[in-house]
């Protein structure tokens, strides 16, 4: 039987040790969902192993096919520029396909809600609760628009209101969105970090949530996130159907 391509999960990396620990926990969950699939982890910065180092090691072992999956929630600079540049410098004998980023996905909305319920909310609270969808932020207009679209989609599932917020590069900040929801009259205000792992910007989100009633945990190694990784892997490794001539 033809071997499956190796799944290489590409994380940004951080000086905060919680970041790498969370990435590794997520990768362990992915492996548990798909026994037999080889899953490796590489970091763009700060942590080891580096993405180039992992690719060199795989090529030296005789691996020929890799699906490189950006551990990112939006398609911004890292997905559009940094990661393609690193992959272009990979050993030439490797056939590498870059998978799509994780978001948006209905599974991620499920993960966000589960984190809010774990933080103390219940489904009965939805209609009276305003939610701040707090992301890291980006200078990329496409990424900002995606966050706004997710907030609108999530609001339609029954929340009193959902407002996007950003920890950097864009406005509003988390604390501003919390204040807006208070002024709107929401009985409860909750902050849902739309980030994958702890670190500098998630800590800024947490500080901005000081006047909120509920602060959820980051998405982390939740089963929904692991399932999205496998969905993106499967889509990347499946050849596109040939175009049909008119």
């Amino acid at each position: 039987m033809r071997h499956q391509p190796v799944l290489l999960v590409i994380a940004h990396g951080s000086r905060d040790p919680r970041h790498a620990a969370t990435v590794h926990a997520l990768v362990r969950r992915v492996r548990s969902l798909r026994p037999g699939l080889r899953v490796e982890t590489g970091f763009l910065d700060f942590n080891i192993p580096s993405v180039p180092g992992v690719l060199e090691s795989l090529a030296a072992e005789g691996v020929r096919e890799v699906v490189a999956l950006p551990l990112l929630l939006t398609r911004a600079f890292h997905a559009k520029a940094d990661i393609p540049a690193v992959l272009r410098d990979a050993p030439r004998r490797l056939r590498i396909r870059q998978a799509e980023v994780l978001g948006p996905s209905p599974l991620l909305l499920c993960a966000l809600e589960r984190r809010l319920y774990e933080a103390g909310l219940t489904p009965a609270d939805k209609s009276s609760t305003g939610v701040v969808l707090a992301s890291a932020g980006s200078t990329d207009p496409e990424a900002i628009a995606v966050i706004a679209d997710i907030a609108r989609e999530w609001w339609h599932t029954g929340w009193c209101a959902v407002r996007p917020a950003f920890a950097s590069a864009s406005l509003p900040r988390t604390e501003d969105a919390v204040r807006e929801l208070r002024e709107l009259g929401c009985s409860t205000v909750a902050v849902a970090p739309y980030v994958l792992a702890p670190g500098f910007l998630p800590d800024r989100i947490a500080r901005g949530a000081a006047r909120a009633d509920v602060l959820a945990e980051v998405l982390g190694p939740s089963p929904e996130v692991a399932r999205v990784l496998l969905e993106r892997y499967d889509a990347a490794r499946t050849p596109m159907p040939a175009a049909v001539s008119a």
Side-chain angles (χ1 to χ4, degrees), residues 129-233:
T129 299
V131 180
V132 178
L133 179 68
S135 74
S138 173
T139 57
D140 189 304
E142 179 186 349
I144 298 304
V146 166
I147 298 300
D149 288 344
I150 293 170
R152 281 191 293 270
E153 179 183 349
W154 203 15
W155 170 58
H156 286 301
T157 67
W159 297 101
C160 174
V162 180
R163 294 290 186 270
F166 306 94
S168 68
S170 309
L171 296 173
R173 294 287 184 258
T174 302
E175 53 268 33
D176 300 325
V178 169
R179 184 170 57 252
E180 180 185 350
L181 291 172
R182 290 279 186 221
E183 293 170 353
L184 191 64
C186 298
S187 300
T188 303
V189 176
V191 174
Y194 190 59
V195 291
L196 288 166
F200 177 76
L201 293 178
D203 285 349
R204 180 179 287 177
I205 290 171
R207 290 193 296 273
R211 295 187 180 275
D213 302 297
V214 174
L215 171 63
E217 293 292 330
V218 299
L219 294 172
S222 64
E224 296 90 349
V225 176
R227 286 168 57 197
V228 176
L229 261 73
L230 289 172
E231 284 185 356
R232 298 294 185 256
Y233 168 81

Side-chain angles (χ1 to χ4, degrees), residues 33-142:
L33 292 177
R34 185 78 58 92
L37 172 63
R38 181 172 178 182
V39 187
E40 299 291 342
T41 308
F43 295 90
L44 292 173
D45 206 353
F46 301 116
N47 303 105
I48 55 173
S50 68
V51 175
V54 175
L55 292 171
E56 290 285 353
S57 296
L58 291 173
E61 289 180 32
V63 170
R64 290 295 175 262
E65 290 190 272
V66 175
V67 170
L69 196 157
L71 198 59
L72 300 168
L73 293 172
T74 57
R75 200 171 170 275
F77 181 78
H78 292 304
K80 294 177 179 179
D82 281 356
I83 292 174
V86 171
L87 298 181
R88 281 194 297 270
D89 290 336
R92 300 180 72 176
R93 54 191 173 275
L94 287 176
R95 182 183 180 215
I96 303 175
R97 304 179 204 180
Q98 182 174 329
E100 291 295 328
V101 297
L102 303 184
S105 166
L107 284 169
L108 295 178
L109 284 182
C110 292
L112 286 166
E113 290 213 4
R114 194 158 62 79
R115 289 299 190 220
L116 286 172
Y117 297 150
E118 289 169 353
L121 293 179
T122 70
D125 298 320
K126 287 187 76 167
S127 63
S128 60
T129 299
V131 180
V132 178
L133 179 68
S135 74
S138 173
T139 57
D140 189 304
E142 179 186 349

